[in-house]
Amino acid sequence: MRTLAVPDREGLPPTEPAVRGADEALFRPIRGGNAFEETVERLLSTLRLGVVAPGGRLPPGRELSARLGVSRATLREALATLQTAGYLASRRGRYGGTFVVATPPPGSGPGPGGRSAAEIDDVLAYRQVLESGAAEAAAARSLTRADREHLSTRLAECTGAGPADYRRLDSRLHLAVAEVAGSPSLTTAVVDIRSRVNELLDAIPLLAPNIEHSDRQHAAIVTAILAGDPAGARRTMAEHLAGTAALLRGFLT
C-alpha cells in the first residue's frame, strides 16, 4: 500500500509515512448519490485528523479518484474547492502535487457560535426527519392547482439563481414543500429548523458544483411530489439533505 508523507525541508521527495489504518479508512470508496459533497467531506476529515500532515502531499489524482471511487472530474472539483477555501495548495514541478497548507484558513475550527459537533449533528438529524417527512406528506396529498403552481414557481426561481440570491431562494423552496404538505405545525417546525441550518450554511463557502447538484435534486424532489410519489419524494429529499449535511460536517466539525 502506498504511504502518504511530507516533503523534507530541502524539497526532496517525501519520506515520512502516514498512519496506515486511518489512511485506508479515509480513502475508502465513497457510497451514495452525493459524490462531490462526500468527497469534500472525506478530504476535510483527512486533513483534520492529521492523516496527511500540514505540508504533506495528497496521493496523485488518478490514485485518489480510484481509491475514493469517484470520477477524476469530481475529484478535481473537490480539490479546487478546498484550494479556493485555503485548505490545500497546488505546486508544479518534479516534486509538485496537491499539498495541505501549514496554517488552516480562518473559521476552519469549531462550528459557528462555538457549536460542538454534537450540536451540529442534532440540527442535521432533526432536519433530516422533518424535511424528508414533509416531502413525503406533500406527495401523499391531493394538491390543488395553487399548490402545484407554488412549488413549480419556487423551483423555477431557485434553479440557476446567482450566489447572492441562492440561499434565500433555496430556503423558500424548502419551505414551499412544507407548506403544500398541508400542516401548519409542520411548516412552523421547518421554518425553525431552516433558520438553524442557515446559520451553519452561512459559515461555509457557497460551492458551484454543490449548487448544480442541488438544482438537479430539487427538480427530482418537486417532480416526485407533483407525481404523487411519497416514497420517491422522501428518498430524493433524504439524499439531498445528506449531501448538505456532508458539507456542513466536513467544514464545521
Side-chain angles (χ1 to χ4, degrees), residues 68-121:
L68 292 174
V70 299
S71 69
R72 293 291 298 279
T74 294
L75 178 63
R76 282 195 296 269
E77 287 182 330
L79 292 174
T81 293
L82 295 182
Q83 288 178 32
T84 301
Y87 291 86
L88 300 174
S90 179
R91 302 178 196 167
R92 297 184 179 278
R94 182 179 178 186
Y95 301 122
T98 302
F99 293 82
V100 179
V101 299
T103 304
S108 62
R115 288 185 180 177
S116 67
E119 291 171 317
I120 291 171
D121 282 342

Side-chain angles (χ1 to χ4, degrees), residues 149-235:
E149 289 179 351
H150 183 44
L151 264 185
S152 298
T153 299
R154 300 290 85 79
L155 175 64
E157 289 174 345
C158 183
T159 303
D165 297 316
Y166 189 81
R167 284 200 171 132
R168 174 178 60 83
L169 297 173
D170 175 42
S171 296
R172 193 65 194 89
L173 173 59
H174 280 259
L175 294 180
V177 171
E179 288 166 343
V180 302
S183 169
S185 295
L186 177 59
T187 301
T188 299
V190 172
V191 166
D192 173 66
I193 194 60
R194 184 68 201 205
S195 296
R196 295 164 66 186
V197 168
N198 280 358
E199 291 177 7
L200 303 180
L201 289 171
D202 286 343
I204 71 171
L206 191 61
L207 310 177
N210 175 243
I211 290 177
E212 294 170 5
H213 189 202
S214 291
D215 282 347
R216 293 193 297 271
Q217 291 178 323
H218 286 155
I221 291 164
V222 171
T223 296
I225 292 172
L226 296 179
D229 178 6
R234 184 181 189 90
R235 182 180 63 255

